[in-house]
Amino acid sequence: MSESSSPYALQDADGLIQQDDLPGGWHLPTRFPGERSDDASAQIDAILGYDDAAPAHSGEPDDAEQNETAAGRWRYIEHTESHTRVFIRLQRQTFAVPEEVRITGVVYLPWRPGDPITSRLLRELPTAQIEAAINKRLFAMKREQTIAGGKIVLASGRKIAERELLKPLGGTAKQDPDFYQRVALQHGRLTQRGDRNPSATMAEINGVALTTAQGWVAKARARGLLPPGRRGRAG
């Protein structure tokens, strides 16, 4: 994929983080570290041993808790005065109610390689402020889902019970304005339960071809209702 056609040629291209999300004194470089023209998040996960696609260690449960690490995106910020470089891993928590973005990993790099890292410097990392700013921007005006009276409130105002998430969706996008939100909720619930190929399970639940379910999921991702998928990862 060429630099011009890559959706990740610039750090803020996918809207997950923007300069305005950072507190004063911090800067979001336009390009990825090393002047890369692509998003190396999957490679960083693999190098750090934080690859959610890797098999679980013996004795570890293969459940939804591990799937929380799926499709995280590493973004690179700099402290303007000290030139400290920090990689933060941003993860859409699509199963949370309401949905949110959380920082699920941090790599701290002093400006000069070999300089020590003190506990004070680590405490001063503005992770909570960054999370709050991102979530305010992405979700304060448009919640993907809210809970009212024990039910999920869809964008149209219609309410559905959580037990309905794994029932056939019914209808089509033309008939149902909440269709892709329901697709995202169903996919998210299956992923939360540890399903290794939620698109295939969705095809079974809804009595459609796998390609149809995959198309639904792709369109839900394009609408920002699901995080970007991983190359080589099913579902």
Side-chain angles (χ1 to χ4, degrees):
M1 182 178 288
S2 67
E3 178 180 334
S4 60
S5 64
S6 170
Y8 301 114
L10 303 178
Q11 282 214 105
D12 61 354
D14 61 359
L16 193 56
I17 186 170
Q18 298 179 358
Q19 177 62 46
D20 291 345
D21 298 328
L22 302 182
W26 288 87
H27 169 62
L28 178 71
T30 302
R31 297 294 298 274
F32 289 94
E35 292 297 300
R36 292 180 62 102
S37 61
D38 63 326
D39 183 349
S41 292
Q43 295 96 311
I44 294 172
D45 274 354
I47 289 169
L48 296 177
Y50 201 40
D51 184 357
D52 67 289
H57 295 295
S58 178
E60 289 186 0
D62 183 16
D63 56 16
E65 193 169 328
Q66 289 181 321
N67 277 285
E68 285 287 330
T69 67
R73 296 292 176 187
W74 288 93
R75 294 293 177 260
Y76 161 61
I77 62 176
E78 288 185 359
H79 188 255
T80 308
E81 183 177 351
S82 68
H83 300 290
T84 294
R85 297 164 292 170
V86 178
F87 288 76
I88 54 176
R89 190 180 193 274
L90 300 172
Q91 171 65 47
R92 285 183 183 269
Q93 305 292 308
T94 55
F95 327 129
V97 181
E99 183 182 351
E100 62 182 356
V101 170
R102 298 189 66 184
I103 293 176
T104 59
V106 174
V107 175
Y108 186 104
L109 300 173
W111 177 50
R112 289 180 300 210
D115 278 0
I117 298 174
T118 67
S119 57
R120 179 183 64 81
L121 291 173
L122 292 176
R123 286 196 300 270
E124 290 177 355
L125 285 176
T127 51
Q129 291 172 265
I130 294 171
E131 278 186 357
I134 290 172
N135 286 312
K136 181 178 180 181
R137 174 175 58 83
L138 291 179
F139 304 120
M141 299 305 294
K142 180 185 176 184
R143 292 291 186 181
E144 303 302 349
Q145 60 186 66
T146 56
I147 292 290
K151 292 191 174 183
I152 297 171
V153 183
L154 303 175
S156 67
R158 185 159 55 100
K159 299 178 182 180
I160 60 172
E162 288 193 65
R163 65 177 179 274
E164 297 178 53
L165 295 182
L166 297 184
K167 292 183 178 180
L169 296 173
T172 65
K174 291 183 179 179
Q175 299 168 335
D176 182 358
D178 300 317
F179 185 78
Y180 288 113
Q181 187 178 3
R182 293 170 61 217
V183 166
L185 289 168
Q186 187 171 95
H187 187 281
R189 180 52 53 90
L190 290 168
T191 303
Q192 184 183 33
R193 291 175 58 172
D195 195 311
R196 289 287 182 173
N197 194 342
S199 292
T201 304
M202 289 177 68
E204 294 178 8
I205 291 173
N206 293 282
V208 299
L210 175 58
T211 53
T212 299
Q214 289 172 331
W216 293 346
V217 172
K219 290 180 179 179
R221 292 193 199 283
R223 286 163 170 75
L225 300 174
L226 286 170
R230 285 273 183 90
R231 289 182 181 178
R233 181 181 175 86

